[in-house]
Amino acid sequence: MAESIEEQPVDQEKSGSRKTKHHRIFEYFLADIESGKFKNGDRLPSEAELVKQFGSSRPTVARALHDLQNMGLLERKVGSGTYVNRAQKQMESWRFGLLIPGLGSTEIFEPICGQIARLAQKHHHTLLWGDFGAKQGAPELGLIEQVCASYIRQMVAGVFFAPLELTEDKDRVNRSVIAAMKSAGIPIVLLDRDIVPFPQRSSIDLVGIDNRQAGFLITNHLITLGCRRIDFLSRPDSAPTVMLRIAGYREALLNSGISPDPEWVHSGDPADREFVKRIIDEGATAIICANDLTAANLMRTLDALGYSVPQKIRVAGFDDVRYAELLRPPLTTIHQPCTDIGTIAMQVMLERIKNPAIPPRDILVQPTLIVRQSCGAA
């Protein structure tokens, strides 16, 4: 079952602040409840009052209150209102494990895991972090399985797992981890990506962005700028999220009456000058990269080859990592609301522990297009 969660667009003039209105409302009341400003039994303002107070929509306010209710902090009485009721649902203290092989090299996982850690600390859970060797480049595969075995020995209540990518052995390692956790009866929440290629779907809860929509958004943006030949570049052995982004990319082309040529989709090293030159020589005018790191490496190669961005070739990426706006020119990309992903991942884990028989779910947070100069937009 897929669930899609609406997010408020990120203000591009204030791109340093990534919190959605939902998250700001959530944190505002969480802080006031934790500090004692709102005491047990106090009635919160009505949804209509909160809509006016925060300049937000009613569904956004309702979602923030629902999240606080799920955490056992509020009680909503039909016809009466919403009340602080911390005694309503006392959460047990759990020990969780983080299994994130790309933590040192994939920037989105740092804020996601940071938010999971903050929520664990606030609610007296314990969070274990594994060491996977080198912080840059490929993690040590043996260490991944060692950390997995360690979590099982320590009888963790659940594991947040970002499946391995960018190595030929990724499928074997990912299957090994999942099989070991399932055998031990430990719930898993996947972060960002599945363990099987699109359009297949595993039987595990997953929290991430709607990658198919993200691929559509960024491709459609380039089409509106006049691009008719748009290429897509990823590295070999990328995560299944890339196939979802490619699916959205193709849908956007078809939606605009452009027949997507399979030759426009490339798998290779963006630092390989001959490989990149061949793409340009074949007629590419815009290149969407599977993530910002690939885009950054591509832009450096294009500069070395004498191809100016965006005058000669337009470039775009995914993730909106910290350095994306520091590139020259700044990178057009898709923003991932990492803090919200971390919040939702913790909620999904607690719900899975409470109700192990519920069907597996995709919780897909809506992506946001961040327009900067690399795409050629004014």
Side-chain angles (χ1 to χ4, degrees):
M1 180 175 69
E3 301 181 18
S4 185
I5 296 175
E6 290 291 338
E7 293 295 327
Q8 297 298 321
V10 173
D11 187 342
Q12 294 173 25
E13 295 301 319
K14 300 178 180 178
S15 59
S17 174
R18 301 301 188 201
K19 291 182 180 178
T20 61
K21 286 186 178 180
H22 149 261
H23 196 259
R24 289 197 295 271
I25 297 168
F26 172 87
E27 284 202 334
Y28 176 86
F29 283 107
L30 179 62
D32 281 356
I33 293 169
E34 294 287 350
S35 68
K37 181 177 179 180
F38 280 105
K39 297 178 174 58
N40 224 30
D42 285 354
R43 182 181 182 278
L44 267 61
S46 69
E47 287 189 5
E49 291 172 316
L50 294 178
V51 165
K52 186 177 296 184
Q53 178 181 345
F54 290 97
S56 184
S57 67
R58 194 161 194 144
T60 298
V61 169
R63 181 183 155 208
L65 297 179
H66 178 72
D67 288 348
L68 291 163
Q69 183 181 12
N70 282 343
M71 292 173 67
L73 299 175
L74 298 181
E75 180 181 10
R76 307 187 76 182
K77 299 179 181 179
V78 177
S80 177
T82 302
Y83 296 83
V84 176
N85 188 359
R86 300 186 65 167
Q88 177 199 8
K89 185 175 74 172
Q90 294 293 333
M91 292 197 302
E92 297 184 56
S93 178
W94 302 107
R95 177 185 295 167
F96 300 115
L98 281 173
L99 198 56
I100 318 291
L103 184 58
S105 57
T106 306
E107 192 174 321
I108 63 165
F109 291 124
E110 292 182 19
I112 291 173
C113 294
Q115 179 65 3
I116 292 173
R118 282 188 290 273
L119 291 173
Q121 182 178 0
K122 278 184 178 179
H123 301 287
H124 311 293
H125 303 306
T126 303
L127 194 64
L128 305 178
W129 299 63
D131 179 13
F132 304 105
K135 295 302 181 186
Q136 298 297 328
E140 297 178 28
L141 302 186
L143 285 177
I144 297 172
E145 291 171 310
Q146 287 179 30
V147 171
C148 175
S150 173
Y151 288 166
I152 293 171
R153 286 195 304 272
Q154 296 181 70
M155 296 184 293
V156 297
V159 168
F160 299 95
F161 180 37
L164 184 65
E165 66 165 343
L166 302 177
T167 173
E168 292 182 359
D169 213 21
K170 63 182 175 63
D171 292 333
R172 182 195 66 78
V173 174
N174 290 335
R175 286 195 299 267
S176 173
V177 167
I178 296 300
M181 292 295 173
K182 284 190 172 182
S183 178
I186 296 174
I188 302 163
V189 172
L190 298 176
L191 300 176
D192 180 65
R193 61 190 67 145
D194 207 339
I195 61 166
V196 295
F198 174 77
Q200 299 178 57
R201 176 69 177 93
S202 71
S203 58
I204 308 169
D205 293 324
L206 185 151
V207 180
I209 66 166
D210 187 336
N211 284 285
R212 194 164 181 168
Q213 184 189 15
F216 185 97
L217 275 175
I218 203 156
T219 306
N220 192 63
H221 171 68
L222 289 169
I223 292 170
T224 62
L225 295 177
C227 299
R228 305 295 292 179
R229 161 72 188 263
I230 303 172
D231 289 40
F232 195 103
L233 172 61
S234 65
R235 288 176 289 169
D237 299 307
S238 291
T241 49
V242 172
M243 292 306 299
L244 282 159
R245 292 169 183 179
I246 291 173
Y249 151 84
R250 288 177 172 146
E251 287 174 5
L253 292 172
L254 288 169
N255 189 61
S256 296
I258 302 171
S259 297
D261 189 330
E263 297 296 320
W264 295 355
V265 178
H266 312 274
S267 177
D269 183 358
D272 184 335
R273 294 188 185 187
E274 290 187 9
F275 170 68
V276 172
K277 187 175 187 304
R278 186 164 61 251
I279 295 174
I280 305 302
D281 290 345
E282 289 172 356
T285 60
I287 301 177
I288 298 173
C289 296
N291 54 46
D292 289 351
L293 180 59
T294 300
N297 282 310
L298 173 66
M299 289 169 65
R300 183 167 61 180
T301 302
L302 290 169
D303 182 64
L305 291 171
Y307 298 128
S308 60
V309 177
Q311 291 80 7
K312 171 64 178 178
I313 185 83
R314 303 171 193 251
V315 176
F318 288 84
D319 292 342
D320 193 25
V321 297
R322 283 189 295 260
Y323 58 78
E325 59 187 333
L326 302 178
L327 295 171
R328 290 292 174 264
L331 182 65
T332 291
T333 186
I334 291 289
H335 173 67
Q336 295 215 41
C338 296
T339 300
D340 285 344
I341 291 172
T343 299
I344 295 164
M346 179 61 82
Q347 293 170 2
V348 170
M349 178 64 78
L350 295 173
E351 289 170 10
R352 174 57 59 190
I353 291 172
K354 182 181 177 182
N355 300 300
I358 58 177
R361 296 167 296 170
D362 287 358
I363 312 294
L364 304 180
V365 183
Q366 297 303 300
T368 305
L369 175 66
I370 303 295
V371 178
R372 300 190 180 104
Q373 289 93 319
S374 70
C375 66

